[in-house]
Amino acid sequence: MTTKSIGEPIKRVEDARLVTGKGRYSDDLMPGALEMAVLRSPLAHAKIISIDIDPVLDVPGVHAVYTYDDLEGPLAEPLPLLIPHPDLTHGRTQYALANGEVNYMGEAVAVVVADNRYIAEDAVNRIVVEYEALPVVVGVDGARKADNLVHEDVPGNVAARMEQGFGDVKKALKKAPNKLTLDLKIERSAASPMEGRGTVARWDQDLKRLSLWSSTQTSTGVRAAVASKLGLDLGQVDLITPDVGGGFGVKIMHPWPEELLVPLAAMNLGKPVKFTEDRREHFISSAHERGQEQHIEVGFDDEGRILGLDFQFWHDHGAYTPYGLIVPIITSTQFLGPYKLPAYHVVFESLYTNTVIVTPYRGAGRPQAVFAMERTMDAIAKHLGMDRAVVRQNNFIQPEEFPYAHGDLNFQDGRPLVYDSGNYPELMEKAKNLVGWGEYEAFRDEAKAEGRKVGIGIACYVEGTGVGPYEGGHVRIETNGKVKVATGLTSQGQGHETAFAQIVADELGAKFEDVEIVTGDTRRMPYSVGTFASRAAVMSGSAIALASRKAREKVLRLAADALEVSEDDLEINDSVVSVKGAPETKIELGTLAVLSNPLRYAFDEASKAATQFAVGDPTKPPIPDGEEPGLEGKDFYSPMRSTFASGIHAVIVETDPETAEISILKYAVVHDCGTLINPMIVEGQIHGGVAQGVGGALYERMEYDENGQLQNASFMDFLIPYVTEVPTKIDIDHQVTPSPLNPLGIKGAGEAGVIPTAAAFAAAIEDAEGITITSMPISPSELYDLRLRDSSAVDERTQA
Amino acid sequence: MKPAPFTYQRPSTLAQALTAYAAAPDAKVLAGGQSLIPLLSMRLASIEQLIDINGIDELSSITVDESGVRFGATVRHSELLSHPEVAKVQPLIPAALHHVAHPTIRNRGTTCGSIVHADASGEMPTVFALLDGVLTVQSTRGTRQLSTADLFIGALETSLEHDEIATEVFLPALPVNRGVAFDEIARRHGDYALVGVGAIVGIDDNNSITSVRAGYVSVSEVPAAIDLTEAFPGGVLSDEALAAAGELALTHLEPEADIHATIHYREQLVRVLTKRVVTAAYADAVARRKSSREESS
């Protein structure tokens, strides 16, 4: 009897390959290909007066130099605005190569293709560009002041202004017995995957076909963008996703300029061409996220129940808006978290600055939203002198209220914001137990007696996961018994080869070891959207389950015929179909695959058994009506709306009274992502997410100076936490409220770990210090300065 | 991130290296490469020639005797750190080396190279200054011995002539009745210190303080060693004296602000680390005196 595979912590099948250096990333492909290097703007805002490429033309080993003047047709147009929105009234995108103006330090101005990257970089250094510097806009402040404009034709630097809400907030605030105002700030950070961007292209002149490899989170997105910009039919372009060294959102944004110029060069030169981004380039030319300033006005009753809330925020969108308003829309809607607000109004402005573009990074606007809401909850608790957990509990949506609609708000997918399932009160009980909420007071008093400062913080989130529109699955059983499965979205290390195989094993009855998963290859599955928004398990997992069920139906039909029994009497275990209660009457999946495909020729032993002369009913056609040759199943999953995962993080920190260093004593996570396919993979996602959250809370920020120069464009100065900076142990507890929206009851788990982390740390540090924390991340130096300011404020109060 | 073109040679004797180096005015010496290679790759520096001294056997030895520790230009941080005699003769060396970056960097990086890189935010230049080390430099013209004062002449600047190669470092042994300690605070484990402090405390037979010297990392232009003895009147280790020592140190230092720390914060770390490290060095001195008495009795 086969044991159930879903729910088991099966070891990841991809790890043997990935941890022994056998992964194949884009830079490993096509050794000897020509390589591209990019000349990037050293200035944040400037007009380009002239570009002199003459000094490059005679450099030995240089094959091509392109500037904007070399681009033609669609390639000479601005890059696509991928997700238009009616409120994005002033959307702007960059050109593949700067067309007379640069708007951030790092914007691509010219490219060189050479024998290798060394020569290409030598050549890039010889290009002479004359710039006329323009005034630079940096930060939300600079953008709002609008003394200078990023784009001449965008007044006030405002790309978009969007307003949503429900209930009468003004009235609610007026009538509320208690009112508070908060001003908050979150700094810019970035996804910073271990592998940067990378593209390899090969043009086959005989077949008129472009093969393209990209380090991407969306195979179909890159393919469509390249085909459209280069004037190729979609069918002429194959996009194959190799192993990808992390994405975290930054690789959902396509096309990048290099991704269009590499295939252009490959087609022009008739030779394979490669671009591998280096780390400095990643900092100054890939996307960032997070930077927001926020203003909250909240009215609440004496039990801390919110009566009305007005949320205003300003979103630093960088120089262009290729990915539309997704990030601020998510902030504005996911702000509501697990709470039931009778009246809510949100308005945001997306602002242009002369900095790198802002597109989704793991969490995608939610860490900012959760920071804002959870700071509000803590402020309410402090104002009323109430337990912080109780204030939250008093505002929770109750289990019997699902599905729960937040007024008529629309989510990022344009659909109404309706939560499908959840149990937030139980989640809170689990969180309190896990972190030791009840025993904490005694612990703090004990520490205080020893001269130590400790603090506890708690933060709740709800995450809309598994957004549409769809994903597909294709399952093919081969004559050797192997089950080949394809889905179009891509893998960046999540463990899809394992988790999806577990689904196929259960749904089809195949041996787990016989299942082979391929992701992100348009030759195998040309219809797909991509890996983002914690959607892979929900979307492709569901599609693969449905495809497996279709394959199973055919297996049973064929087996019933072959074994001369009713389909209802059959079961499939370990890739063998047998009669229930008579296991000796059986047939293997591979044999059924042979039978499914009658042949004229015998190529090998397996096909010998399948020639039309050896098997089949002579009174029927070899392929019965309504059937197809082969043992396959294909299906798509397209949900009505997103499914909403939830969770609570709690952290206990200790701050050094002298050095203001912040250390983590305990980190606890309870979460609900519905059905767990592989608990070990889910926990791995949580570990990685928390590590990234620790980075966002205590370490990472993009340091732009007033000239728009990024001061810390290296891993020496952009502080991603090492393993020594993240908690050695993360306590995890699962809650399972399956989603009613998909066949397996799955909710997404990919981003959750990073979402409430900054909020939880802010609360814990505030608790330890007794100083209000309004801005994250926070460094020891900043905490020390807060202490100095606080003590001088206390001095002033005492003197007054 | 690829370096501009340069030629490369790997001489097998010091004499060959010195001749090659003298003949190439725009050359650099490659030992561990932990600072040079990133500078070249990011094209923050470019050179005509790279002279790799890793094939020169005579530069790879460590000699330890009662007078101190002597090591060649290609000796790795990790070799010194794991050498059993080094810790016995001069315990400040391993105490500081533990804070030098990460194991992979210590496996490649050389202590001599770190000293002549003369980065005041590196631990080993400060240790060299604090211990009054001696650096041997050689050229085809001859050999010179440089002390701290001779060697460090500015930020990332030494008195080595264009044809001179640093070949050997001598760090003297810890005298009797002395104790050492080293500590630093960095944003992340293994990062450059926001502030680092090493100290040597001397005591008499009554455990009274006779001398206090401290070296500072990341708060001065050139590696700094400061005599703090006057902050401990009567040889007593008190809270007041430790606080005074921190303030005294600050009068010799020039903390600067950067993206990781304000001046105020660095000053605070100087105070806190001076207190902690001097206290620990004093405790080390007392413990050493006790164990040496037990050994001799």
Side-chain angles (χ1 to χ4, degrees):
Chain A
M1 188 67 206
T2 309
T3 49
K4 208 168 166 324
S5 185
I6 291 177
E8 290 303 310
I10 293 174
K11 281 193 181 165
R12 295 172 18 130
V13 295
E14 44 273 88
D15 283 348
R17 181 177 86 251
L18 297 178
V19 304
T20 56
K22 296 195 177 74
R24 298 274 290 169
Y25 301 89
S26 70
D27 194 45
D28 298 322
L29 307 172
M30 212 81 71
L34 302 179
E35 295 203 65
M36 180 177 279
V38 184
L39 175 67
R40 301 188 181 280
S41 170
L43 300 176
H45 197 191
K47 289 233 176 301
I48 296 174
I49 307 298
S50 65
I51 305 177
D52 183 5
I53 59 165
D54 286 351
V56 179
L57 298 175
D58 60 347
V59 174
V62 169
H63 294 255
V65 186
Y66 300 139
T67 66
Y68 177 76
D69 290 343
D70 298 299
L71 307 181
E72 290 171 356
L75 208 46
E77 300 293 316
L79 298 181
L81 202 164
L82 295 167
I83 311 178
H85 190 283
D87 290 331
L88 182 52
T89 51
H90 293 78
R92 296 290 180 272
T93 58
Q94 71 183 84
Y95 291 86
L97 291 168
N99 177 15
E101 183 175 332
V102 286
N103 281 303
Y104 63 91
M105 166 201 172
E107 188 164 348
V109 174
V111 294
V112 173
V113 180
D115 281 345
N116 58 51
R117 176 76 183 226
Y118 291 85
I119 296 171
E121 287 192 20
D122 293 345
V124 156
N125 281 354
R126 288 168 167 242
I127 300 174
V128 181
V129 184
E130 190 188 339
Y131 295 99
E132 180 191 316
L134 295 171
V136 173
V137 179
V138 177
V140 165
D141 257 4
R144 285 183 71 190
K145 268 188 211 140
D147 295 339
N148 301 305
L149 296 179
V150 175
H151 303 286
E152 264 174 41
D153 57 349
V154 179
N157 292 315
V158 179
R161 185 175 186 281
M162 186 172 173
E163 198 166 359
Q164 285 204 81
F166 52 82
D168 190 338
V169 172
K170 272 192 185 147
K171 197 171 149 195
L173 285 174
K174 207 169 173 188
K175 285 176 67 179
N178 307 288
K179 235 182 99 173
L180 282 171
T181 300
L182 290 86
D183 288 288
L184 304 169
K185 186 176 177 180
I186 290 258
E187 296 278 357
R188 226 180 222 240
S189 184
S192 312
M194 221 188 291
E195 183 203 20
R197 297 180 288 126
T199 304
V200 185
R202 184 176 61 199
W203 172 250
D204 188 319
Q205 182 62 24
D206 298 332
L207 295 175
K208 298 281 184 292
R209 203 171 178 81
L210 182 69
S211 299
L212 198 60
W213 292 260
S214 178
S215 184
T216 181
Q217 294 173 228
T218 168
S219 55
T220 49
V222 180
R223 180 195 196 205
V226 169
S228 135
K229 281 290 187 185
L230 296 186
L232 297 168
D233 297 340
L234 202 56
Q236 285 180 283
V237 181
D238 295 321
L239 191 294
I240 304 141
T241 313
D243 282 323
V244 174
F248 310 112
V250 69
K251 294 176 184 171
I252 193 66
M253 222 309 294
H254 298 276
W256 300 99
E258 299 84 351
E259 226 152 31
L260 302 172
L261 300 169
V262 163
L264 175 77
M267 291 174 72
N268 286 349
L269 300 170
K271 288 179 178 166
V273 179
K274 179 191 291 194
F275 168 72
T276 304
E277 183 186 55
D278 69 29
R279 185 53 57 186
R280 181 174 164 76
E281 291 183 293
H282 189 77
F283 274 105
I284 64 172
S285 65
S286 293
H288 300 167
E289 212 228 279
R290 301 285 195 253
Q292 282 182 3
E293 293 190 13
Q294 305 165 329
H295 177 80
I296 296 151
E297 289 178 37
V298 60
F300 49 97
D301 69 15
D302 294 336
E303 270 72 53
R305 269 184 291 267
I306 292 176
L307 302 171
L309 192 148
D310 190 84
F311 181 28
Q312 259 183 293
F313 68 95
W314 295 268
H315 178 75
D316 178 351
H317 222 129
Y320 302 102
T321 50
Y323 210 75
L325 298 178
I326 292 300
V327 175
I329 290 175
I330 293 175
T331 303
S332 66
T333 47
Q334 298 265 265
F335 172 82
L336 295 167
Y339 309 117
K340 194 165 52 178
L341 269 61
Y344 174 57
H345 172 253
V346 57
V347 57
F348 70 79
E349 284 182 352
S350 255
L351 300 169
Y352 285 118
T353 57
N354 290 116
T355 58
V356 168
I357 58 167
V358 165
T359 69
Y361 155 37
R362 194 181 199 175
R366 295 179 188 86
Q368 300 94 311
V370 170
F371 178 67
M373 176 55 98
E374 296 300 296
R375 291 280 67 206
T376 304
M377 287 290 163
D378 288 337
I380 292 171
K382 191 177 173 193
H383 183 83
L384 297 174
M386 286 177 65
D387 182 291
R388 288 172 285 167
V390 173
V391 169
R392 287 168 167 84
Q393 283 161 325
N394 288 351
N395 282 285
F396 276 159
I397 297 162
Q398 296 302 307
E400 63 277 11
E401 294 176 294
F402 290 94
Y404 183 86
H406 285 287
D408 52 1
L409 283 194
N410 279 330
F411 191 44
Q412 61 152 322
D413 52 6
R415 302 273 168 132
L417 183 65
V418 181
Y419 292 179
D420 51 335
S421 65
N423 186 340
Y424 309 140
E426 187 189 302
L427 213 51
M428 180 58 92
E429 285 312 311
K430 281 174 181 272
K432 284 164 73 175
N433 287 336
L434 198 60
V435 78
W437 190 260
E439 305 88 65
Y440 171 71
E441 293 281 329
F443 170 71
R444 179 173 53 192
D445 293 346
E446 208 174 287
K448 205 172 174 181
E450 295 165 9
R452 297 166 60 202
K453 287 181 162 192
V454 298
I456 194 168
I458 198 160
C460 311
Y461 69 91
V462 169
E463 183 199 357
T465 69
V467 298
Y470 72 88
E471 287 297 335
H474 180 257
V475 174
R476 187 177 71 232
I477 300 163
E478 302 212 332
T479 54
N480 60 7
K482 291 266 167 62
V483 183
K484 306 275 185 178
V485 181
T487 189
L489 55 65
T490 64
S491 300
Q492 303 91 50
Q494 290 93 338
H496 295 154
E497 290 171 46
T498 310
F500 293 159
Q502 288 178 256
I503 293 173
V504 176
D506 277 11
E507 293 289 342
L508 183 60
K511 273 188 209 155
F512 174 80
E513 297 75 20
D514 285 345
V515 182
E516 180 195 293
I517 305 288
V518 167
T519 57
D521 185 338
T522 60
R523 298 170 305 177
R524 295 282 301 276
M525 175 54 77
Y527 296 101
S528 171
V529 185
T531 302
F532 58 95
S534 303
R535 71 192 291 280
V538 177
M539 301 301 299
S540 278
S542 297
I544 286 170
L546 296 174
S548 300
R549 288 175 192 179
K550 281 201 171 165
R552 181 188 177 94
E553 284 168 22
K554 185 160 185 184
V555 164
L556 292 176
R557 271 202 309 279
L558 284 169
D561 204 25
L563 298 174
E564 298 178 335
V565 294
S566 157
E567 287 176 36
D568 297 340
D569 294 333
L570 293 172
E571 59 185 8
I572 316 176
N573 296 308
D574 284 337
S575 296
V576 176
V577 189
S578 60
V579 175
K580 290 174 192 166
E584 67 285 356
T585 310
K586 64 183 182 184
I587 186 163
E588 292 190 12
L589 287 182
T591 312
L592 289 167
V594 171
L595 296 179
S596 75
N597 183 21
L599 299 171
R600 186 170 176 83
Y601 309 112
F603 311 106
D604 54 21
E605 287 306 314
S607 51
K608 215 183 274 175
T611 63
Q612 60 188 314
F613 305 105
V615 294
D617 181 344
T619 66
K620 288 183 188 166
I623 301 286
D625 283 350
E627 291 284 6
E628 292 176 4
L631 195 42
E632 304 187 12
K634 180 167 141 186
D635 209 343
F636 292 84
Y637 170 69
S638 180
M640 277 303 290
R641 57 176 63 94
S642 298
T643 171
F644 288 81
S646 55
I648 299 177
H649 288 202
V651 61
I652 300 177
V653 301
E654 176 161 6
T655 57
D656 188 297
E658 293 181 320
T659 65
E661 287 169 287
I662 301 155
S663 45
I664 304 164
L665 301 185
K666 191 173 178 69
Y667 203 101
V669 175
V670 294
H671 82 116
D672 187 341
C673 62
T675 306
L676 298 163
I677 302 168
N678 183 325
M680 188 173 67
I681 288 179
V682 171
E683 289 183 9
Q685 285 281 15
I686 291 171
H687 294 159
V690 169
Q692 240 165 354
V694 168
L698 304 178
Y699 296 97
E700 298 167 7
R701 75 181 68 207
M702 291 294 166
E703 292 279 358
Y704 276 102
D705 71 8
E706 69 277 14
N707 299 314
Q709 296 288 313
L710 187 58
Q711 302 293 292
N712 58 341
S714 79
F715 278 160
M716 190 170 90
D717 283 319
F718 179 79
L719 308 177
I720 289 182
Y722 301 132
V723 70
T724 38
E725 278 63 52
V726 297
T728 47
K729 181 166 167 280
I730 298 170
D731 296 311
I732 297 176
D733 197 2
H734 304 284
Q735 181 189 70
V736 179
T737 54
S739 171
L741 300 179
N742 62 66
L744 299 175
I746 303 168
K747 299 176 178 184
E751 296 168 275
V754 80
I755 290 172
T757 324
F761 273 105
I765 294 165
E766 180 170 296
D767 186 43
E769 296 284 327
I771 301 172
T772 307
I773 303 295
T774 59
S775 179
M776 291 299 267
I778 185 166
S779 70
S781 181
E782 286 166 316
L783 179 56
Y784 180 71
D785 280 355
L786 285 181
R787 284 179 184 173
L788 289 183
R789 248 180 282 162
D790 188 61
S791 63
S792 65
V794 170
D795 288 346
E796 277 170 32
R797 283 199 296 272
T798 328
Q799 281 163 17
Chain B
M1 247 186 238
K2 304 289 181 206
F6 54 81
T7 60
Y8 170 87
Q9 44 182 315
R10 187 181 164 95
S12 53
T13 68
L14 180 57
Q16 285 170 1
L18 294 175
T19 305
Y21 200 45
D26 193 16
K28 278 279 178 192
V29 170
L30 176 69
Q34 297 303 291
S35 299
L36 179 62
I37 298 297
L39 286 172
L40 293 177
S41 291
M42 294 172 92
R43 296 191 182 225
L44 297 170
S46 68
I47 56 168
E48 295 284 327
Q49 277 198 47
L50 191 62
I51 298 175
D52 182 349
I53 59 169
N54 287 287
I56 303 172
D57 286 345
E58 57 202 286
L59 298 180
S60 64
S61 66
I62 303 175
T63 320
V64 185
D65 60 26
E66 282 177 0
S67 67
V69 179
R70 198 175 290 280
F71 53 92
T74 62
V75 169
R76 316 286 155 182
H77 297 301
S78 58
E79 291 178 79
L80 277 180
L81 191 52
S82 62
H83 196 290
E85 299 303 315
V86 168
K88 285 182 193 160
V89 169
Q90 183 44 272
L92 188 65
I93 297 173
L97 279 171
H98 275 294
H99 293 276
V100 175
H102 305 274
T104 46
I105 293 173
R106 294 198 292 261
N107 286 343
R108 289 300 303 171
T110 64
T111 307
C112 177
S114 171
I115 290 167
V116 290
H117 189 49
D119 188 344
S121 51
E123 291 80 4
M124 298 322 283
T126 292
V127 166
F128 182 81
L130 180 57
L131 293 178
D132 285 327
V134 178
L135 180 75
T136 303
V137 300
Q138 297 186 51
S139 68
T140 51
R141 296 177 291 116
T143 299
R144 294 198 295 152
Q145 310 264 320
L146 301 177
S147 69
T148 300
D150 306 327
L151 177 64
F152 300 125
I153 59 175
L156 294 163
E157 200 183 350
T158 68
S159 58
L160 266 68
E161 298 289 340
H162 74 86
D163 59 346
E164 285 180 321
I165 295 178
T167 54
E168 188 179 84
V169 176
F170 173 73
L171 296 175
L174 187 69
V176 291
N177 289 345
R178 297 284 205 290
V180 300
F182 194 100
D183 198 6
E184 65 180 40
I185 287 173
R187 285 294 277 118
R188 298 171 300 183
H189 186 88
D191 278 358
Y192 278 111
L194 296 174
V195 175
V197 179
I200 306 174
V201 172
I203 55 172
D204 63 17
D205 289 345
N206 301 316
N207 289 347
S208 273
I209 293 174
T210 55
S211 68
V212 177
R213 251 165 76 78
Y216 289 83
V217 179
S218 295
V219 276
S220 56
E221 199 164 78
V222 296
I226 304 169
D227 193 316
L228 300 176
T229 313
E230 66 180 84
F232 298 86
V236 178
L237 187 86
S238 63
D239 289 348
E240 292 74 25
L242 288 166
E247 298 304 331
L248 176 59
L250 282 171
T251 63
H252 294 270
L253 299 170
E254 295 154 333
E256 286 183 7
D258 62 17
I259 60 173
H260 303 303
T262 60
I263 292 175
H264 286 318
Y265 184 60
R266 281 209 164 82
E267 287 172 348
Q268 170 72 358
L269 295 186
V270 166
R271 292 185 198 102
V272 174
L273 284 175
T274 299
K275 180 180 76 175
R276 290 181 185 175
V277 172
V278 170
T279 303
Y282 175 77
D284 185 54
V286 172
R288 280 175 197 282
R289 208 176 68 79
K290 191 171 171 224
S291 71
S292 72
R293 256 194 340 220
E294 280 164 7
E295 271 171 36
S296 56
S297 62

